[in-house]
Amino acid sequence: MPYVLGIDGGGSKTYTVVTDELGNRLGQGVSGRSNHQKFGVDQAMANIRESIDIALTEAQLAYEDIVFVQYGLAGADRPKDFEVLLPALGHLPFRSWDLVCDTMTGLRAGSPDNIGVVLVCGNGTNAAGRNRQGQSVQTGGLGPLYGDRTSGPDLARETFSCAVRSWELRERPSLLTDLVPRYFGFAAMEELVNDFLDRDVQKVPGELTIVLHQAADAGDELAIELLRSSGKELGLAANSVIERLGGFDASAAVPIVLVGSVVQEGRNPHLLQALREKIAEKHAHFELVVPKLSPVYGSVLLAMDHLQLPVTEEIMNKFASYGGYKS
């Protein structure tokens, strides 16, 4: 029976899954971060290999038992990245394998025919797409200097900044002036600001977006505006991919697959509505899709596609039932 291995490697962890051709998960492994752009190729490869070894051990399989491996890695954006990653991955003793950016595994997780647009909004932000001619294009994913504005860390920074501005009356009144200091364990903004200045704090955790969603859920106008702005940015990225790529059927709805904590776990209605409105300005036929599968199963599905293994509804239901990594 063919055994395949899928890997989802990013800025927070590396997750590996081994399955058979029927979609039965035989082993899984998780290790540290594997974005080579941020942490170096040596550290990335060490974590990739560790996650593979854990998964193979649990599956009671060896490297030579794996028929195909699909790597989906954050940071695999440009030819230069592939020049670094391909030789490094080639040192692993697999017979057959492929590498794509993690955007493409996200697309496969949400699109049955692997056609459409994927928007990634979590620790980072990225957009990509694939048409029926097999062509693909990427928009963003290169950092704030190159136009990326709506990742989790970006939203967290804006949340903190807007709380300060509201406290200083440079912005409208907002619940953020109560929720942000409370998140950090302070009674008021003044205490929080003075503490951060005294300690020269320059970054806030991405998890601060939880506060932003809480304020928006309570009807806070400033929080809603921030989330709508994020939705507009994602809509601009989706339109960019559609227009740059082309090759979509004008009469069929283009799947817009949403991947990442901001759009999957948050699912804020204001953000999603702004996203819909921005795409609708230029494209009438589209559908927002939140995948039922963890992105690692997008890698597994691409591996099965390479082997021309049939992907049945039963297999998809199995993958959905497995969820994300749980120790």
Side-chain angles (χ1 to χ4, degrees), residues 62 203 218 268 304:
K203 292 177 64 177
N268 182 269
M304 296 178 77

Side-chain angles (χ1 to χ4, degrees), residues 39-294:
F39 310 110
V41 68
D42 291 341
Q43 185 63 61
M45 288 304 304
N47 289 332
I48 289 169
R49 183 147 200 164
E50 181 183 16
S51 71
I52 291 171
D53 288 342
I54 295 170
L56 288 176
T57 298
E58 183 175 307
Q60 298 183 340
L61 295 172
Y63 278 80
E64 57 267 25
D65 295 320
I66 304 301
V67 176
F68 194 88
V69 178
Q70 179 65 63
Y71 299 98
L73 303 181
D77 298 310
R78 302 169 56 235
K80 185 176 181 180
D81 297 312
F82 282 79
E83 290 173 6
V84 172
L85 290 169
L86 291 177
L89 293 170
H91 288 296
L92 295 173
F94 289 116
R95 289 175 285 169
S96 187
W97 54 275
D98 182 47
L99 167 66
V100 296
C101 182
D102 62 343
T103 51
M104 304 312 294
T105 59
L107 176 63
R108 183 63 182 89
S111 174
D113 59 4
N114 202 22
I115 304 299
V117 175
V118 58
L119 300 176
V120 180
C121 190
N123 286 331
T125 181
N126 207 339
R130 183 176 182 273
N131 62 20
R132 294 202 176 276
Q133 292 73 43
Q135 300 165 320
S136 61
V137 72
Q138 176 176 317
T139 290
L142 303 176
L145 182 63
Y146 298 92
D148 297 341
R149 297 178 179 174
T150 189
S151 68
D154 293 331
L155 278 175
R157 183 179 61 251
E158 285 299 309
T159 299
F160 187 89
S161 175
C162 284
V164 173
R165 289 174 61 84
S166 178
W167 168 60
E168 292 181 334
L169 306 183
R170 288 189 285 168
E171 185 52 87
R172 76 195 78 177
S174 172
L175 292 172
L176 295 176
T177 58
D178 294 324
L179 295 176
V180 170
R182 191 184 308 166
Y183 176 87
F184 289 105
F186 294 93
M189 282 297 300
E190 184 172 5
E191 293 179 33
L192 169 62
V193 170
N194 284 327
D195 177 80
F196 273 33
L197 289 172
D198 291 344
R199 295 189 293 117
D200 193 29
V201 175
Q202 297 295 323
K203 292 177 64 177
V204 293
E207 291 77 13
L208 187 61
T209 55
I210 294 171
V211 167
L212 179 63
H213 285 276
Q214 289 172 345
D217 289 344
D220 186 84
E221 292 182 1
L222 184 55
I224 290 171
E225 182 180 295
L226 280 178
L227 288 166
R228 282 191 57 83
S229 177
S230 181
K232 290 177 183 177
E233 280 292 324
L234 289 170
L236 288 170
N239 287 340
S240 165
V241 171
I242 295 171
E243 291 161 23
R244 292 175 63 201
L245 185 56
F248 294 107
D249 185 347
S251 63
V254 178
I256 310 292
V257 180
L258 307 180
V259 176
S261 58
V262 173
V263 286
Q264 285 186 300
E265 296 171 18
R267 296 199 198 185
N268 182 269
H270 303 289
L271 184 154
L272 295 177
Q273 182 59 31
L275 169 59
R276 290 189 186 94
E277 291 170 359
K278 182 55 64 175
I279 299 175
E281 289 178 5
K282 294 193 174 184
H283 306 283
H285 303 293
F286 66 91
E287 176 189 10
L288 299 187
V289 178
V290 177
K292 297 178 181 179
L293 315 183
S294 173

Side-chain angles (χ1 to χ4, degrees), residues 288-312:
L288 299 187
V289 178
V290 177
K292 297 178 181 179
L293 315 183
S294 173
V296 72
Y297 295 103
S299 292
V300 173
L301 289 169
L302 286 176
M304 296 178 77
D305 292 343
H306 273 279
L307 297 174
Q308 298 183 328
L309 296 173
V311 177
T312 64

